[in-house]
Amino acid sequence: MSPSEPTIRFGIMGCADIARKVSRAINLAPNARIAAVASRSLEKAAAFARANNLPPDTKIHGSYESLLDDPDIDVVYLPLPTTLHLKWATLAAQKKKHVLLEKPVAVTVAELDQILAACVANGVQFMDGTMWVHHPRTAKMREFLDDKHRFGELRTIHSCFTFAAPDSFLKDNIRVKPDLDSLGALGDAGWYGVRAILWAAGYHLPKTAVATRALVLSEQGVILACGASLHWEDGKSATFHCSFLTHMTMFLTAIGTQGTLQLNDFIIPFEEHEASFSTASQARFNDQVTGWEPGPSQHVVSTDIPQEACLIRELSRLVGEIKVHGGKPDLTWASRSRKTQRVLDAVKESIDNGFQPVEIGN
Amino acid sequence: MSPSEPTIRFGIMGCADIARKVSRAINLAPNARIAAVASRSLEKAAAFARANNLPPDTKIHGSYESLLDDPDIDVVYLPLPTTLHLKWATLAAQKKKHVLLEKPVAVTVAELDQILAACVANGVQFMDGTMWVHHPRTAKMREFLDDKHRFGELRTIHSCFTFAAPDSFLKDNIRVKPDLDSLGALGDAGWYGVRAILWAAGYHLPKTAVATRALVLSEQGVILACGASLHWEDGKSATFHCSFLTHMTMFLTAIGTQGTLQLNDFIIPFEEHEASFSTASQARFNDQVTGWEPGPSQHVVSTDIPQEACLIRELSRLVGEIKVHGGKPDLTWASRSRKTQRVLDAVKESIDNGFQPVEIGN
């Protein structure tokens, strides 16, 4: 951190479980600090600050409005239920707070567009809470995918994220409540699969989405498991599957004309400080077709701070540019969020229309 | 090999590339030997015998008919183009030869049923050439899937096999000729994905198949890449993808309620004598959601002889039972072949009818 780089002050809006992890990340990022925490009750916010060892000078707010009016906050982190994003993220932007929004960023692209418009209008930075894209491993994997010799041209992507939610989650968690998170597993676990596919595809949107019949709905109609295939104009294709109902599994396989990338922990690495991925390039069977030549290679990437702290560091760097140099917000992250949400919308539409193909507009 | 167990005599019908590998396997299996090789020309058969160091006393036949009339042959191995299977496998059975038939075993289930009927009528053993199911690794993986504590109940399977065929293959190989192998990549690479899915599902047939739109056809209409999702009555689902057009990639992921099985070399292990697979059981994120607890385990399985020799050993054991004890053929392998072919038929039908769901009968 250069001497001219400011320390960005974060306010946490809501005490969801994930806020614990992000609080720690803010503490670990060299250019950020926790300045305040808010809940709908002072007691809940104070308890969160104590339980998570927030700095003693952390301000405690008993309402979200109070946090947004706090002049000593640069960025607001919103780990709220998805249906509340439109109201609070928009209001945060209007109060000139930079916005770190949990995924799924909205219930629909139409809602997200209102949030993003508010961010642009108020000159604030927007970023969603997808952490793995900030891990240095992801940059190394990008190098592989961009290598025409080792990987060639991307043709196919397969992705999967499932976890076995406990009964209590399936009954009470906000992610299965139609009024709080109507996208269910698609918005939660599916977000990662879609994002990984778009990441691999250089954030080029597919043309068509078709949901598979591997759909499970709760009694209230919330998605507990689903999947889809995605198809690009140039013949590229992808599949993803997501579920709250099966054992923890995550994989990402990107197949090119010359190489393959594979990993089984892309969202949250098995271990915090070191993560790996596998590549194979120009692999063939040996002459007797009894083994591979060459076999795959394993690549290990260390990180000085956890991926979620990398996210905070990057966001704080962008906010610092605006704060110190009066720059404009970087719209790259907003665009990536929007494309992810756009594909989720199309998959949801395909589910709702009986697994028919849905064209993905802009 | 017990003293009472006979050495089973194999005749090789045709000199396809894959016959080189199977010749070596017959040599390596303790209860089998190569007795004869046939081609449509004596010269070609003799050249094959020399090039592959077949035993000096190997009989050389200048026609398939001559091989089938050879009284010193127990089993005929048929690495012929798929469209020729019906004629030659049926004739082999009628000549009382046990049948080892390359995959895909037929163009349609209807054709396979004629072959299998001939085998039953003539009391000969049938087995297809799928090798990986005979690797001791597969038995260890089966133990994991059958373990209610470590794996729970199977819910989802994802499988993929692609390889980048050279231009010469895409122009001239029998697997892209409509009159020789009309199923193309579906019958070749797709066979393995479907078989792996059925294997994981305990060979219970799915109820429905739906081809994905990730379909590539050659100018002659042969499948170069395709995929499908499969759906069972009980809510289980699976996907597979296969291609001749992208880098060598194979994976099998089976997800249960309590555990996950993953491997990236299920068809042909990276190395011949040692193969591995990964399992995870009751994995969760740690308290801070920054890592896995527990992480996955790697399991290494050695094999005394290569998987293709394990296949020959098992087939020879079954044939020996019939030969020495006058037993009846074991129909397990025929049933597994038939189920695989049944699913291929349904996927092909779904492709032909514009990706509509196809019910899979018996």
Side-chain angles (χ1 to χ4, degrees):
Chain A
M1 182 181 169
S2 75
S4 68
E5 203 181 329
T7 297
I8 302 303
R9 302 161 302 176
F10 280 73
I12 297 170
M13 184 185 275
C15 302
D17 247 13
I18 186 70
R20 295 161 53 223
K21 178 175 179 175
V22 173
S23 299
R24 175 171 172 266
I26 297 167
N27 275 329
L28 289 170
N31 53 355
R33 70 177 179 86
I34 297 174
V37 59
S39 182
R40 282 166 297 173
S41 86
L42 261 182
E43 293 68 33
K44 217 174 148 198
F48 180 88
R50 277 194 308 276
N52 291 282
N53 297 311
L54 301 195
D57 62 347
T58 305
K59 275 200 250 181
I60 310 295
H61 291 281
S63 76
Y64 299 156
E65 290 86 348
S66 160
L67 179 81
L68 292 184
D69 285 328
D70 186 336
D72 301 323
I73 303 283
D74 300 305
V75 181
V76 174
Y77 169 58
L78 299 100
L80 302 174
T82 311
T83 48
L84 301 181
H85 286 189
L86 175 59
K87 172 180 176 182
W88 291 105
T90 306
L91 200 54
Q94 288 162 351
K95 298 278 186 176
K96 309 291 180 194
K97 306 302 186 197
H98 304 279
V99 172
L100 173 57
L101 190 58
E102 260 311 330
K103 31 64 45 188
V105 286
V107 179
T108 63
V109 155
E111 287 196 359
L112 177 61
D113 280 343
Q114 293 184 57
I115 295 171
L116 296 179
C119 289
V120 168
N122 291 281
V124 300
Q125 180 65 40
F126 175 92
M127 187 180 276
D128 74 47
T130 312
M131 296 163 176
W132 68 270
V133 292
H134 298 274
H135 196 294
R137 172 175 65 173
T138 306
K140 293 303 280 184
M141 296 195 297
R142 181 80 261 157
E143 284 175 24
F144 178 73
L145 295 189
D146 287 343
D147 189 323
K148 290 294 164 218
H149 177 69
R150 289 190 297 159
F151 184 69
E153 191 191 341
L154 176 70
R155 302 308 298 151
T156 317
I157 313 149
H158 300 289
S159 179
C160 173
F161 180 31
T162 79
F163 60 89
D167 286 345
S168 56
F169 176 108
L170 294 174
K171 260 190 205 146
D172 294 324
N173 192 281
I174 59 167
R175 286 175 278 185
V176 296
K177 300 276 188 192
D179 54 334
L180 297 176
D181 235 324
S182 55
L183 295 175
L186 175 61
D188 188 55
W191 171 275
Y192 291 103
V194 169
R195 183 60 168 272
I197 288 166
L198 289 173
W199 167 80
Y203 294 101
H204 291 291
L205 274 174
K207 184 170 175 262
T208 315
V210 194
T212 69
R213 283 161 170 80
L215 174 70
V216 183
L217 299 177
S218 72
E219 283 178 18
Q220 297 173 294
V222 170
I223 298 167
L224 301 181
C226 71
S229 64
L230 307 174
H231 306 276
W232 281 257
E233 195 96 52
D234 68 357
K236 265 199 310 286
S237 68
T239 64
F240 78 90
H241 171 75
C242 60
S243 175
F244 286 158
L245 302 175
T246 59
H247 182 257
M248 179 126 93
T249 307
M250 57 180 82
F251 66 75
L252 173 61
T253 298
I255 312 177
T257 49
Q258 304 291 325
T260 305
L261 167 77
Q262 290 180 302
L263 71 164
N264 292 333
D265 63 346
F266 74 99
I267 300 160
I268 295 191
F270 296 130
E271 293 173 28
E272 186 169 334
H273 293 293
E274 215 175 71
S276 66
F277 62 98
S278 168
T279 64
S281 289
Q282 304 182 12
R284 308 225 176 292
F285 294 131
N286 61 19
D287 181 54
Q288 285 276 8
V289 198
T290 58
W292 295 44
E293 276 177 4
S297 309
Q298 207 65 18
H299 307 265
V300 179
V301 181
S302 301
T303 184
D304 55 343
I305 54 174
Q307 61 182 10
E308 55 275 16
C310 296
L311 178 156
I312 299 294
R313 181 169 59 189
E314 173 63 5
L315 174 58
S316 297
R317 186 185 70 75
L318 294 170
V319 169
E321 289 286 325
I322 299 168
K323 198 173 169 181
V324 173
H325 304 292
K328 286 206 166 182
D330 183 326
L331 298 178
T332 308
W333 294 106
S335 163
R336 292 171 181 180
S337 305
R338 190 181 187 283
K339 285 174 175 170
T340 311
Q341 188 76 43
R342 187 69 198 80
V343 174
L344 292 186
D345 276 23
V347 173
K348 181 68 165 54
E349 190 182 333
S350 178
I351 288 172
D352 290 343
N353 76 13
F355 314 110
Q356 294 307 302
V358 170
E359 298 294 301
I360 299 174
N362 289 317
Chain B
M1 184 179 169
S2 76
S4 69
E5 201 180 332
T7 296
I8 302 303
R9 302 161 301 173
F10 280 72
I12 297 171
M13 183 186 278
C15 302
D17 246 14
I18 186 69
R20 296 162 53 223
K21 179 175 179 175
V22 173
S23 300
R24 175 171 173 265
I26 296 167
N27 276 328
L28 289 171
N31 53 354
R33 69 177 180 85
I34 297 175
V37 60
S39 182
R40 280 165 298 173
S41 86
L42 262 182
E43 293 67 31
K44 216 173 148 199
F48 180 88
R50 277 195 307 277
N52 292 282
N53 298 311
L54 300 194
D57 60 347
T58 304
K59 275 200 253 182
I60 309 295
H61 290 281
S63 75
Y64 299 157
E65 290 85 351
S66 160
L67 180 80
L68 292 185
D69 284 329
D70 186 335
D72 301 323
I73 302 283
D74 300 305
V75 180
V76 174
Y77 168 58
L78 298 101
L80 302 174
T82 311
T83 49
L84 302 181
H85 287 189
L86 174 60
K87 172 179 176 182
W88 291 106
T90 306
L91 200 55
Q94 288 163 351
K95 298 278 185 177
K96 309 290 180 194
K97 306 302 186 197
H98 304 279
V99 172
L100 174 57
L101 190 58
E102 260 311 329
K103 31 65 45 188
V105 285
V107 179
T108 62
V109 155
E111 287 196 0
L112 178 61
D113 280 343
Q114 294 184 57
I115 295 171
L116 296 179
C119 289
V120 167
N122 291 282
V124 300
Q125 181 64 41
F126 175 92
M127 188 179 275
D128 74 48
T130 313
M131 296 162 176
W132 69 269
V133 292
H134 298 274
H135 196 295
R137 172 175 66 173
T138 307
K140 293 304 279 184
M141 296 195 297
R142 181 81 261 157
E143 283 175 24
F144 177 73
L145 296 189
D146 287 343
D147 188 322
K148 290 292 165 222
H149 176 70
R150 288 191 297 159
F151 184 71
E153 192 191 341
L154 176 70
R155 303 307 298 151
T156 318
I157 313 149
H158 300 290
S159 179
C160 173
F161 179 31
T162 80
F163 59 89
D167 285 346
S168 57
F169 177 108
L170 294 175
K171 260 187 206 151
D172 294 325
N173 193 280
I174 58 167
R175 286 175 278 185
V176 296
K177 300 275 189 195
D179 54 333
L180 296 176
D181 235 323
S182 55
L183 294 174
L186 175 62
D188 186 56
W191 172 276
Y192 291 103
V194 168
R195 183 59 167 273
I197 289 166
L198 289 173
W199 168 80
Y203 294 100
H204 292 292
L205 275 174
K207 186 171 173 261
T208 315
V210 194
T212 70
R213 282 160 170 80
L215 174 71
V216 182
L217 298 177
S218 73
E219 283 178 17
Q220 297 172 293
V222 171
I223 297 167
L224 301 180
C226 71
S229 64
L230 306 174
H231 306 277
W232 280 257
E233 194 96 54
D234 68 357
K236 264 199 310 284
S237 68
T239 65
F240 77 91
H241 172 74
C242 61
S243 175
F244 286 158
L245 303 175
T246 59
H247 181 258
M248 180 126 92
T249 307
M250 58 180 81
F251 66 75
L252 174 61
T253 299
I255 312 177
T257 49
Q258 305 291 324
T260 304
L261 168 77
Q262 290 179 303
L263 71 164
N264 291 334
D265 64 346
F266 75 99
I267 300 160
I268 296 191
F270 297 129
E271 293 173 28
E272 185 169 334
H273 293 292
E274 214 175 72
S276 66
F277 61 98
S278 167
T279 63
S281 289
Q282 303 182 12
R284 308 224 175 293
F285 294 131
N286 61 19
D287 182 54
Q288 285 276 7
V289 196
T290 57
W292 294 45
E293 275 178 5
S297 308
Q298 206 65 17
H299 307 265
V300 180
V301 181
S302 301
T303 183
D304 55 343
I305 52 175
Q307 63 182 8
E308 55 274 16
C310 296
L311 178 156
I312 298 295
R313 180 169 59 188
E314 172 63 4
L315 174 57
S316 298
R317 187 186 68 75
L318 293 170
V319 170
E321 289 286 325
I322 299 168
K323 198 173 169 179
V324 175
H325 304 293
K328 287 206 167 184
D330 183 326
L331 297 178
T332 308
W333 294 106
S335 163
R336 292 172 180 180
S337 305
R338 191 181 186 282
K339 286 174 175 170
T340 311
Q341 189 76 42
R342 188 68 198 81
V343 174
L344 292 186
D345 276 22
V347 173
K348 181 68 165 54
E349 190 182 333
S350 180
I351 288 171
D352 290 343
N353 76 13
F355 315 110
Q356 293 307 301
V358 170
E359 298 294 301
I360 299 174
N362 287 318

